Amino acid sequence: MTIENFVHESNKTTLEQLDAFLRIPSISTSPQHDRDCRKAAQWLADHLDGAGCTATLLGSDTHPVVWAESPHVPGRPTVLVYGHYDVQPPDPLDLWDTPPFEPTVRDGNVYARGATDDKGQVFSIVAAYQAVTRSGSPPVNVKFLIEGQEETGSEVLTDLLHREPQRVAADAVLVSDSSYYAPGWPALYTALRGICYCEITVRTLKSDLHSGLYGGVAPNAHEALVRILGQLKSPNGRIRIPGLYEAVERPSAAERKAWKQLPFNERTYRQREVGAKALTGIAGRTPLERTWALPTFEIHGITGGFTAEGAKTVIPAVASAKVSLRLVPRQRAKTVERQLRKRVKELAPPYAQISLDFVHGADPVQADVTAPPFDCIRRAFREVERREVVSIRSGGSIPIVPLLATGGAPVVLTGVGLPDDRLHAPNEKLSLDQFWKGVRVFGRFFELMGAS
Ligand code: BES
Ligand code: MN
Ligand code: MN
């Protein structure tokens, strides 16, 4: 009841606060926005202080971790809330209908960078905390751990948790940084993919050369690079890196059967969500298996040579590519880095000088969703949504989750976004209905955890 009262009475102020939080361009990947990252952290810490917690900023001046503790209630369990206040760059800007850092409400959605990933979702948990503490002390002990580098590899938080592992001591960890399976279908995640992100650079010449005078004898760096890249995956989608699939396990028959029961229309998915003429990948595997349970190799961008307007006849001396592999349970980022490095060296022609820089990595996550906190979140969703949660996986990654799990507390991976939220893309949004469902669900989760 108190949650419902909060939702009705604090509706306007809560959305104004969400607006203020979303306005801060806390883009963690560009140093120009260091001060904005700090500002977002400070804003959140001030807000949590105002909500009755004791908040501090830890680990960095530019990308601090926000740590906040609720007033201690003896004898009650502890819920650790993890999320991130940093966002992805908003470009290409001209594809946004309204500016990414001027949150705008249209048809019940708030449009802004970070609306769903993850500021809006973090704020729905914070509002849920406010809802359940309105008339007194919290039903459960809550600790907030909200970082500012999730999108760039979580360095500050990783260092912090290595120095102070007791911070993750809790009875449950709550992470809301993903989405429902479909509208009306809340989800618990049983696995996330890991990632191994690298930059490959090829040098074939001391300097660029005239392509007429030297074309025919001078080795072209771009050509060497694309030949290497082209050999890393076969046209049927199999990644050609020796040993890569050794640790990969097919999901159990029971898990695959459960996925078959989810509403999924390949044609609509291909046309509306992917927007392509065909789906690629390993034949004989469903799209869900390909995105949730198999590794990938993707080329993110290639630079080198001449790409400006007009024409320039040059043989490039240097070319480089940013690439990544997504990893599935039992694969390890460090192992995959070694395997990729070895393969790239083998594929390089003798005249090419190759370097491979590891940019960031994360191990995959596998979660057993049977511990008691999962009963609390299931019940909370059932009460609010009137449907059972589905257990699914995601192809995305949350790099810090393996470290959060080292304290032994079950990690509840869930979300209140919707599949069409366009995270990382232009016109990212969060449905306000979903936001308020989050307030109700997480509020009930706190109450049920407190009573458990
Ligand atoms: N929230 C996403 C990951 C996500 C999305 C998980 C949907 C499950 C469902 C997160 O912010 C993200 O984008 N992670 C990055 C991590 C990477 C940069 C290390 C990703 O997956 O690309
Ligand atoms: Mn996220
Ligand atoms: Mn993200």
Side-chain angles (χ1 to χ4, degrees):
M1 199 57 227
T2 61
I3 300 177
E4 228 34 63
N5 289 344
F6 175 90
V7 168
H8 290 110
E9 288 161 23
S10 313
N11 195 292
K12 192 158 162 277
T13 38
T14 300
L15 293 183
E16 280 166 6
Q17 289 157 349
L18 173 62
D19 176 271
F21 190 29
L22 290 175
R23 260 172 211 280
I24 308 167
S26 44
I27 305 160
S28 56
T29 195
S30 67
Q32 272 153 279
H33 289 280
D34 282 0
R35 245 187 280 141
D36 295 313
C37 289
R38 169 99 200 169
K39 203 171 145 196
Q42 190 64 58
W43 186 93
L44 188 60
D46 289 346
H47 185 83
L48 285 162
D49 270 329
C53 293
T54 310
T56 46
L57 301 186
L58 302 172
S60 154
D61 287 335
T62 55
H63 300 81
V65 171
V66 179
W67 173 261
E69 290 184 30
S70 63
H72 188 71
V73 186
R76 292 289 170 90
T78 298
V79 174
L80 176 72
V81 175
Y82 166 80
H84 62 97
Y85 65 78
D86 65 321
V87 301
Q88 288 272 329
D91 51 275
L93 280 174
D94 52 314
L95 294 184
W96 285 77
D97 295 330
T98 49
F101 297 106
E102 291 173 28
T104 308
V105 176
R106 285 195 300 277
D107 339 306
N109 298 305
V110 58
Y111 288 83
R113 173 56 87 232
T116 192
D117 186 14
D118 181 33
K119 284 156 124 183
Q121 300 205 49
V122 164
F123 201 64
S124 82
I125 304 183
V126 173
Y129 174 80
Q130 293 177 268
V132 296
T133 47
R134 224 166 51 121
S135 51
S137 56
V140 66
N141 293 299
V142 182
K143 293 173 178 174
F144 290 91
L145 181 68
I146 313 296
E147 69 155 318
Q149 289 181 317
E150 192 275 344
E151 303 288 8
T152 52
S154 301
E155 201 183 310
V156 170
L157 180 53
T158 302
D159 291 348
L160 177 73
L161 294 182
H162 279 135
R163 281 198 313 273
E164 303 177 26
Q166 76 284 2
R167 296 227 181 237
V168 298
D171 297 284
V173 182
L174 173 64
V175 184
S176 182
D177 190 19
S178 42
S179 73
Y180 277 30
Y181 174 73
W185 291 69
L188 276 175
Y189 289 82
T190 60
L192 300 178
R193 286 199 287 198
I195 191 167
C196 171
Y197 199 114
C198 297
E199 180 162 11
I200 303 170
T201 303
V202 176
R203 176 179 278 280
T204 53
L205 295 165
K206 273 201 288 227
S207 99
D208 288 0
L209 292 174
H210 189 293
S211 68
L213 302 182
Y214 301 98
V217 295
N220 182 312
H222 230 308
E223 182 183 327
L225 177 65
V226 298
R227 281 185 196 282
I228 294 168
L229 296 177
Q231 289 180 80
L232 286 172
K233 189 154 77 182
S234 69
N236 66 20
R238 199 175 157 86
I239 303 160
R240 289 164 150 166
I241 298 176
L244 185 83
Y245 289 94
E246 254 163 39
V248 177
E249 256 178 6
R250 191 125 195 239
S252 69
E255 196 169 17
R256 279 183 281 140
K257 188 171 161 226
W259 295 353
K260 286 237 163 73
Q261 265 137 36
L262 296 167
F264 184 84
N265 180 309
E266 184 162 334
R267 198 184 148 91
T268 334
Y269 172 75
R270 175 174 64 73
Q271 292 177 335
R272 300 252 175 86
E273 221 175 304
V274 182
K277 288 216 170 101
L279 298 178
T280 54
I282 295 181
R285 296 285 193 268
T286 65
L288 292 183
E289 224 183 314
R290 281 182 250 162
T291 52
W292 293 353
L294 281 165
T296 64
F297 170 76
E298 298 295 343
I299 302 164
H300 302 297
I302 305 181
T303 49
F306 181 73
T307 53
E309 214 180 310
K312 178 185 177 189
T313 47
V314 68
I315 300 177
V318 188
S320 63
K322 298 201 178 189
V323 304
S324 79
L325 293 113
R326 292 279 168 171
L327 317 177
V328 296
R330 298 184 64 242
Q331 289 189 294
R332 287 292 162 267
K334 277 286 155 210
T335 313
V336 169
E337 181 201 338
R338 264 200 307 277
Q339 292 168 334
L340 173 68
R341 197 180 286 281
K342 179 155 182 278
R343 188 65 189 139
V344 165
K345 292 254 154 80
E346 286 167 2
L347 291 171
Y351 52 76
Q353 219 185 80
I354 302 273
S355 69
L356 187 143
D357 292 316
F358 178 76
V359 180
H360 62 66
D363 285 333
V365 172
Q366 193 153 31
D368 171 13
V369 294
T370 57
F374 293 100
D375 295 333
C376 296
I377 195 78
R378 280 203 178 84
R379 185 166 154 200
F381 270 117
R382 191 184 303 129
E383 287 177 15
V384 170
E385 199 59 70
R386 316 236 149 251
R387 197 199 302 263
E388 287 299 314
V389 300
V390 284
S391 293
I392 59 172
R393 298 193 188 189
S394 171
S397 313
I398 306 177
I400 205 69
V401 172
L403 256 180
L404 295 177
T406 56
V411 183
V412 176
L413 298 167
T414 188
V416 294
L418 289 175
D420 66 351
D421 279 349
R422 291 180 292 272
L423 53 166
H424 297 200
N427 299 313
E428 177 181 349
K429 55 95 175 159
L430 177 66
S431 151
L432 290 177
D433 257 0
Q434 293 293 116
F435 174 83
W436 292 111
K437 279 178 188 172
V439 175
R440 294 180 173 99
V441 169
F442 301 131
R444 280 301 284 149
F445 178 69
F446 287 144
E447 290 179 347
L448 293 166
M449 279 297 295
S452 71

